[in-house]
Amino acid sequence: MSPPDAAPDAARDHAREDAGKDATARAADRVLKTAARPGAGRTAAVFGCSVAAAGAALAEPAVLGHALDLLLRRDPAASTWIVWCALVVAAEVLLDAAVARLTGDVDARTTARLRGLGLARLLRTAPHLAARHAPGEVAARLTAHAAEAGIVPGALARAGADLLPPLGAVVALLLIDVWTALAFLAGLPLLALLLRAFARDSGAGVSRYQKVQLAMAGRLVESLAGARTVAAAGTERREVARILATLPELGREGRLMWRIYGAAMARTAALMPLLLYVVLCVGGFRLAAGALGVGGLLAAVRYAGLAAGVGAVTGRLSAVVRGRAAARRVADLATLPELPQGERELPQGGPGRLELRGVRLVRGGVTVLRDVDLDLPGGATVAVVGRSGSGKTLLAAAAGRLTACDAGHVRLDGVPLEELSADALRREVGHAFDRPDLFGTGVGSAIAFGAGPAPDPGAVRAAARAAGADAFVRRLPEGYDTPLAEAPLSGGELQRLGLARAFCHAGRLLILDDATSSLDTVTAREVERALAHEVRATRLVVAHRISSAARADLVVWLDAGRVRATGTHAHLWSDPAYRAVFTAESEAGRGPGSGAKPGSGAKAASEVEARAGAEARAGAGAGAEAEPGTGPGLREESGPGAGRGPGGGAGGGREAVR
């Protein structure tokens, strides 16, 4: 036996599920209304022309029937009514053409706005929320599903007008002959039941079909993105099988969906002729009894045909049902929470001081960063180190307002980041990532890409030189004008272009999240020198290399989401647990099966320590190697951490650029 509280729990689960579905449906309707609002005038024109076309369709049987009666009586006025018949038919044809033209325009504009709403919100939300939607799903939602949802406003406008001819035809039947009208009305309840069942069953089937379709699209794009890995592993057949694994389910849901639609259409198509035959039969008896003329019978049959056209609403209703189901998929993107921003600007001439107070970040119900308090002086190079999973990337994201804090706040020159305007934030806070994405027609425009005024070509080349990218860019077929698609880039070259873009737009704060991981040691050191001497901004560097920590003015050591310690690399190096951070990174790079022997961890620690000493000596000479004033408009001042470094000399002679 099931426990006594199982039934109430199941009822609560069903209630929550129904509430969730209702909330999703309401959100989809709001998104549709938002997308349709700018085109309300055109939608109204669709409805108006549809109503006018319906009026012409309703007038046609009466005018045609009256003209026939006049012709049978050889009445001279028949010619005038024949002209009226021609005018009514012409008006109906022209109005139908206008409806088709306007509906296409409304559908296209609504689809474009839906895509714009979904894409804009996807780009304005926090990156970790956007990443929950696989690229394939996003592509399907913004293409096929947005197009299907975009027809809803036009379909609703036409469906409302499509009801007028059947309703008007029933009224006309009653006016022409009550018995004929009653014969037709006897079959309408059955038709109403058919339409209601179709709307209920079709909506659920379309939703299931689209869900399976989205999952398949996601797997396809995922495999295309990893095509090299698949080819190298020789798993093409396995990937094909994985992508198409739900194809039988998709086919089953598709067949069920169209079976529901076909059954509704078949039943409607069978019912309508029966109703027409009944009307014709009753009308014939009324004609024989002299209660109805030939023209009246013709009009009654035509009106019965119009009234039977309520079955044609099934197709329009099907489009609305499919469109609303598709709108729910688009609404999943268009209702993503937007990362809030204010309207404030930063004070003029601020040094780029960064403060984090009580910062807490939660992901999946787990607190990843807990009560982080930091005060980073302006113009300094700050390295963030820690084991994998310690929260380094999340700290960088919070510092650059790529995500909102669940508690606490981040300030730049005394202004909370959430109160800054979006323009000021992206103008003053730059980012470089481990795997940068490049945008632009050519290499030069990819470096210049960013918020604010476009930099001049000289600034683009200077940024490329600082990132160690100028030499290989000049070797490309068209130099800085080489199209990105024609510039085969290695991982290190791609990172250097990403760094050049960040240097080109460096404001008060520059955040580098493992942005030198693919660079060789020599290039990485050159980039570190450029950071120290040619970039005026405060530098927050998520570091895995010992050299990055050794050359930094300040090191922030994260451990399990908390700040375990801050200080210079030389000061922290005396702690074995700190040295173990770099030992762990070194051992992780070897991987299983590397041939490491028992006790090799101690040896690795010794190697790391020896390497750190070398890095310290290299850092000590960093100031001597770089000439002051190497950057345009460079102004060097002694800043935080000047003269500090491992062994007491890592920063010797080095000045922090403000």
Side-chain angles (χ1 to χ4, degrees):
M1 293 179 61
S2 60
D5 57 343
D9 286 345
R12 281 194 296 270
D13 290 341
H14 284 304
R16 281 195 295 267
E17 184 178 351
D18 292 340
K21 290 180 180 178
D22 291 342
T24 302
R26 288 193 296 270
D29 290 341
R30 284 195 299 270
V31 170
L32 272 175
K33 289 176 183 177
T34 302
R37 193 173 295 122
R42 288 182 173 83
T43 306
V46 170
F47 181 74
C49 289
S50 298
V51 170
L58 283 171
E60 180 190 337
V63 173
L64 186 61
H66 187 61
L68 180 60
D69 283 339
L70 292 176
L71 283 171
L72 291 175
R73 293 200 301 267
R74 301 183 183 277
D75 193 311
S79 57
T80 303
W81 282 93
I82 291 174
V83 172
W84 278 112
C85 286
L87 291 175
V88 169
V89 171
E92 185 179 3
V93 171
L94 291 175
L95 286 168
D96 283 340
V99 168
R101 173 68 179 81
L102 288 168
T103 301
D105 190 43
V106 168
D107 292 351
R109 290 173 182 269
T110 305
T111 299
R113 292 189 191 98
L114 282 171
R115 288 171 176 162
L117 287 171
L119 185 59
R121 187 58 67 92
L122 188 69
L123 295 177
R124 286 200 295 262
T125 194
H128 74 280
L129 295 178
R132 293 178 182 175
H133 297 279
E137 290 189 10
V138 170
R141 292 174 197 269
L142 294 180
T143 53
H145 292 173
E148 203 160 17
I151 69 173
V152 170
L156 282 174
R158 295 187 66 177
D162 285 347
L163 287 173
L164 294 179
L167 295 176
V170 171
V171 173
L173 276 175
L174 288 170
L175 294 175
I176 292 172
D177 186 73
V178 174
W179 291 103
T180 306
L182 291 177
F184 178 82
L185 291 174
L188 287 185
L190 182 57
L191 181 62
L193 289 175
L194 290 177
L195 294 178
R196 182 174 179 272
F198 168 75
R200 182 187 65 246
D201 298 338
S202 180
V206 169
S207 182
R208 290 192 301 269
Y209 180 86
Q210 291 176 349
K211 186 175 180 180
V212 178
Q213 188 182 50
L214 275 181
M216 183 178 290
R219 290 192 296 272
L220 173 61
V221 173
E222 180 184 63
S223 290
L224 290 176
R228 289 188 304 175
T229 302
V230 172
T235 57
E236 296 91 344
R237 293 184 179 180
R238 188 187 305 170
E239 280 301 297
V240 170
R242 186 177 72 90
I243 294 168
L244 301 181
T246 55
L247 190 59
E249 184 181 359
L250 186 71
R252 185 167 57 253
E253 293 295 343
R255 288 190 296 272
L256 178 61
M257 181 176 65
W258 288 109
R259 191 178 300 123
I260 292 171
Y261 177 74
M265 292 301 295
R267 291 164 185 162
T268 303
L271 181 61
M272 291 303 101
L274 289 177
L275 289 176
L276 288 177
Y277 289 141
V278 169
V279 168
L280 185 60
C281 182
V282 173
F285 281 115
R286 299 291 289 167
L287 176 65
L292 195 62
V294 174
L297 178 60
L298 176 64
V301 173
R302 294 279 293 175
Y303 279 125
L306 285 176
V310 70
V313 180
T314 304
R316 204 82 65 199
L317 181 62
S318 174
V320 172
V321 169
R322 292 197 306 272
R324 287 191 68 203
R328 297 180 186 182
R329 309 298 176 194
V330 182
D332 286 344
L333 302 180
T335 56
L336 284 169
E338 188 172 349
L339 194 63
Q341 291 298 148
E343 299 293 335
R344 292 183 62 180
E345 297 290 326
L346 288 171
Q348 292 291 330
R353 178 186 178 188
L354 186 67
E355 303 170 76
L356 289 81
R357 294 287 180 265
V359 170
R360 184 185 308 142
L361 287 176
V362 180
R363 294 290 181 269
V366 177
T367 301
V368 185
L369 281 183
R370 186 186 304 276
D371 303 329
V372 174
D373 288 294
L374 290 172
D375 194 341
L376 309 182
T381 299
V382 180
V384 181
V385 304
R387 292 178 181 270
S388 179
S390 59
K392 301 186 296 296
T393 293
L394 273 180
L395 177 64
R401 190 62 180 170
L402 290 181
T403 189
C405 300
D406 294 294
H409 59 267
V410 181
R411 294 177 182 270
L412 181 61
D413 285 334
V415 180
L417 293 187
E418 66 270 17
E419 296 181 12
L420 276 177
S421 69
D423 290 340
L425 177 70
R426 296 308 163 209
R427 186 175 61 246
E428 298 293 345
V429 180
H431 295 264
F433 304 103
D434 58 340
R435 287 178 289 181
D437 294 304
L438 300 181
F439 301 92
T441 56
V443 173
S445 61
I447 296 174
F449 179 85
D456 59 71
V460 170
R461 288 181 172 83
R465 283 194 297 272
D470 181 67
F472 81 79
V473 171
R474 288 180 180 276
R475 289 196 297 268
L476 293 173
E478 299 178 49
Y480 284 87
D481 295 325
T482 304
L484 288 173
E486 299 176 13
L489 301 173
S490 67
E493 289 169 342
L494 188 64
Q495 278 199 340
R496 278 181 271 176
L497 290 180
L499 285 164
R501 179 177 60 191
F503 291 171
C504 198
H505 295 278
R508 302 190 192 199
L509 176 63
L510 181 59
I511 298 172
L512 287 81
D513 186 358
D514 203 16
T516 61
S517 59
S518 295
L519 304 186
D520 59 82
T521 303
V522 174
T523 304
R525 287 179 180 174
E526 291 174 354
V527 170
E528 288 164 5
R529 292 191 195 101
L531 272 174
H533 295 280
E534 297 185 30
V535 177
R536 302 165 184 255
T538 303
R539 286 83 67 191
L540 183 67
V541 183
V542 174
H544 293 89
R545 296 175 184 263
I546 296 178
S547 61
S548 300
R551 291 173 180 271
D553 301 312
L554 183 68
V555 175
V556 176
W557 176 15
L558 284 182
D559 187 15
R562 294 181 182 273
V563 177
R564 181 160 175 174
T566 59
T568 63
H569 178 70
H571 174 71
L572 295 175
W573 191 254
S574 61
D575 190 333
Y578 177 76
R579 295 198 300 272
V581 169
F582 298 100
T583 305
E585 294 291 341
S586 177
E587 289 297 303
R590 298 186 184 189
S594 61
K597 298 178 181 179
S600 61
K603 182 179 178 181
S606 300
E607 292 173 352
V608 170
E609 190 165 358
R611 193 160 59 248
E615 297 290 354
R617 290 189 293 275
E625 293 170 6
E627 294 179 316
T630 53
L634 186 67
R635 180 167 59 88
E636 299 195 18
E637 303 173 1
S638 63
R644 298 183 302 187
R654 174 178 169 190
E655 296 176 336
V657 183
R658 302 175 75 84

